[in-house]
Amino acid sequence: MTQRITASHVVPAVAALGLSLAAPVVFAHPGHGVEHGGLTSGLMHPWLGLDHLLAMAAIGLWSLGQGASMRRLTPLLALVGMLVGAGIALAGWVSPSLLPGVESGIAMSVLVAGVMTAALLRLPTALGGVLVVAVMALHGIAHGAEMPAAASVVGYVIGFSISTLAITLLARSLGGWLAAREQRLLRALGAVIALCGGILAMS
């Protein structure tokens, strides 16, 4: 006999997983310990930082509720924001004293993106596009600032670009699968991401 999956089954498990993943980040944001070549470092960096992973996933999930053009453009806009932010950091335009503020902004971006997903908030395309680019620019600054000293800049940028697109598209696919079965599951996932963002913001 097949049992229908509902929010009451999924939310506790997802919440427990999210909290268990967030807990280590409360004590220390990872520089992610990536010491590989540029391409490998770039590929791994978004996956090893819970804040980056959750924000990109939330943006992918949130895009499901937007207009057709915004749904199509969101992964590319996320990438543009990452590249802009990384360019700012790699050009040396962000002083070390500003990085704690960037990290706080990143944590808040996870919270906001999670709330937007949970609320199924629909925005005008122009406003949504600007918001996605601005949020991801913060993450790009962190990526640029945390690039290993010996890494190839070109390889590193290509690597995190691939991962940014992959995470955003995978999250959107997962969200579409969940929404097709029970829209409350998508809302619940957004709420869990927002909870993780709140924990990160308080750390």
Side-chain angles (χ1 to χ4, degrees), residues 43-117:
L43 284 169
M44 294 176 65
H45 197 278
W47 297 94
L48 296 179
L50 181 64
D51 45 7
H52 302 312
L53 180 61
L54 290 177
M56 293 176 197
I59 285 174
L61 293 170
W62 167 79
S63 70
L64 286 166
Q66 307 310 299
S69 59
M70 190 65 205
R71 282 198 304 273
R72 289 193 301 269
L73 289 173
T74 293
L76 292 177
L77 291 171
L79 178 57
V80 168
M82 286 284 288
L83 292 173
V84 168
I88 290 172
L90 292 172
W93 295 345
V94 179
S95 68
S97 63
L98 293 177
L99 290 179
V102 170
E103 295 293 350
S104 297
I106 288 172
M108 287 303 300
S109 76
V110 176
L111 173 60
V112 170
V115 169
M116 288 169 56
T117 301

Side-chain angles (χ1 to χ4, degrees), residues 8 20 40 52 63 66 75 87 98 104 107 121 161 193 200:
S8 63
S20 67
T40 303
H52 302 312
S63 70
Q66 307 310 299
L98 293 177
S104 297
L121 180 64
S161 297
I193 292 174
L200 293 172

Side-chain angles (χ1 to χ4, degrees), residues 150-178:
S152 160
V153 173
V154 173
Y156 185 73
V157 169
I158 290 173
F160 75 63
S161 297
I162 292 171
S163 288
T164 297
L165 290 173
I167 293 169
T168 307
L169 292 170
L170 284 171
R172 191 164 66 180
S173 296
L174 172 62
W177 183 85
L178 290 174

Side-chain angles (χ1 to χ4, degrees), residues 1-5:
M1 180 177 178
T2 302
Q3 183 179 16
R4 186 184 177 195
I5 298 174

